[in-house]
Amino acid sequence: MEKLVSCAFNIDTACVELHFTEGSICSIDCTAVENEASDNGACCLTASQAMIKKKLPEMLDYYERNSEMFRLHEAILKGLFLKVPENTPNLGQLKKWYCSTNPDGVEKIEKYALKNAVIYDYFYDKWILFEEIVNNIPYEFGDAESFLKTHHKLEFNKNGYWYLLNITEYRLPGEEMPYDFARAQIQEILTNSNRLNFDRELEENLYRDAEKSGDIKWLYKGEKSIEKESIK
């Protein structure tokens, strides 16, 4: 069976020319194929999306089988961060509330933050990069690993503001990524893989359909030149 060596678009003929190992060349009428494909374009897109969606439940299995691929390059953490003016009302109460993770405490913090906070970042339920927090606090954190191992909270005052940070969980560089942090990366890997497989299958189907309908014109077959009329 001949193998495809190269594929190129011929601008003069508006055809794609496929070159095979034994010297054969076939030309595909792009206009004819495009017209046929456009009729089924929406269907193809829907099928592609459905295939991708069907694969998404496999993310956890992929993560477990390839855990060594998912290592942290930066520290990450979960928690809560507030920046409030130093003359903010009820500061003493706020310092009690911001370390609370129960629904009642969180509700009080949210109501307070709406009126008084310059920055309010709730991330008890998601991982964020430690660097994102560092960029918002004018504090000398030093080494991320040392800080995270020795601090579960930070109360810092500078230039007229209080910075309040409560840390509930953290992971250090070199450690395995938590699944929910790696999930977006895994989804991208699987999505790209599925798209490549779908595109490859689609191309093969279009080629077969074009050959059956006569939209392919063989220019050379082996050593002999063969020309067929292209069906318009």
Side-chain angles (χ1 to χ4, degrees):
M1 181 179 179
E2 293 188 72
K3 294 183 179 180
L4 182 66
V5 174
S6 65
C7 175
F9 178 72
N10 188 325
I11 194 171
D12 295 323
T13 61
C15 294
V16 173
E17 295 183 353
L18 308 178
H19 295 250
F20 295 89
T21 50
E22 295 182 6
S24 302
I25 302 176
C26 76
S27 177
I28 301 177
D29 187 335
C30 293
T31 302
V33 174
E34 183 178 357
N35 290 337
E36 183 176 348
S38 63
D39 294 335
N40 300 303
C43 178
C44 292
L45 180 60
T46 302
S48 179
Q49 292 172 337
M51 182 183 295
I52 293 169
K53 185 176 181 181
K54 184 179 180 181
K55 293 290 184 180
L56 293 182
E58 298 178 5
M59 290 193 297
L60 179 58
D61 178 62
Y62 185 89
Y63 170 77
E64 292 174 344
R65 288 186 292 104
N66 300 278
S67 59
E68 287 300 316
M69 291 175 52
F70 302 102
R71 294 287 169 177
L72 290 167
H73 300 291
E74 301 178 63
I76 59 175
L77 72 164
K78 288 184 178 183
L80 181 141
F81 169 61
L82 283 159
K83 176 183 177 181
V84 297
E86 63 181 3
N87 61 350
T88 189
N90 301 316
L91 181 60
Q93 288 295 320
L94 177 62
K95 288 185 177 181
K96 294 179 181 178
W97 295 336
Y98 89 95
C99 290
S100 173
T101 57
N102 66 62
D104 183 58
V106 172
E107 183 179 356
K108 289 178 180 178
I109 295 170
E110 288 179 347
K111 290 180 178 179
Y112 184 95
L114 287 173
K115 295 180 180 179
N116 303 288
V118 177
I119 299 176
Y120 171 60
D121 195 355
Y122 174 96
F123 51 100
Y124 285 136
D125 57 351
K126 65 178 180 180
W127 294 99
I128 68 169
L129 295 173
F130 179 64
E131 190 67 25
E132 293 182 22
I133 297 298
V134 170
N135 291 337
N136 284 311
I137 306 177
Y139 177 81
E140 294 297 329
F141 286 91
D143 178 65
E145 181 174 349
S146 298
F147 176 84
L148 291 170
K149 285 183 174 181
T150 56
H151 295 75
H152 67 275
K153 69 176 183 178
L154 174 69
E155 296 178 2
F156 179 66
N157 179 267
K158 187 173 184 178
N159 299 330
Y161 293 99
W162 275 100
Y163 301 84
L164 308 175
L165 172 65
N166 185 41
I167 302 170
T168 55
E169 294 183 66
Y170 68 86
R171 296 288 187 275
L172 300 174
E175 293 184 3
E176 186 176 302
M177 288 183 189
Y179 169 67
D180 48 346
F181 187 78
R183 187 163 51 196
Q185 185 176 339
I186 297 169
Q187 181 174 337
E188 183 177 358
I189 292 171
L190 294 179
T191 297
N192 290 337
S193 175
N194 289 329
R195 281 176 178 162
L196 286 173
N197 291 336
F198 178 82
D199 289 346
R200 189 178 298 111
E201 183 179 342
L202 179 61
E203 289 172 1
E204 291 175 355
N205 289 337
L206 287 174
Y207 173 81
R208 285 195 293 268
D209 291 344
E211 189 173 36
K212 289 179 181 178
S213 64
D215 293 327
I216 292 180
K217 181 180 180 181
W218 283 95
L219 304 179
Y220 298 96
K221 187 70 174 177
E223 297 180 353
K224 297 181 179 180
S225 175
I226 301 177
E227 292 190 5
K228 297 181 179 180
E229 288 295 325
S230 178
I231 299 177
K232 306 296 184 180

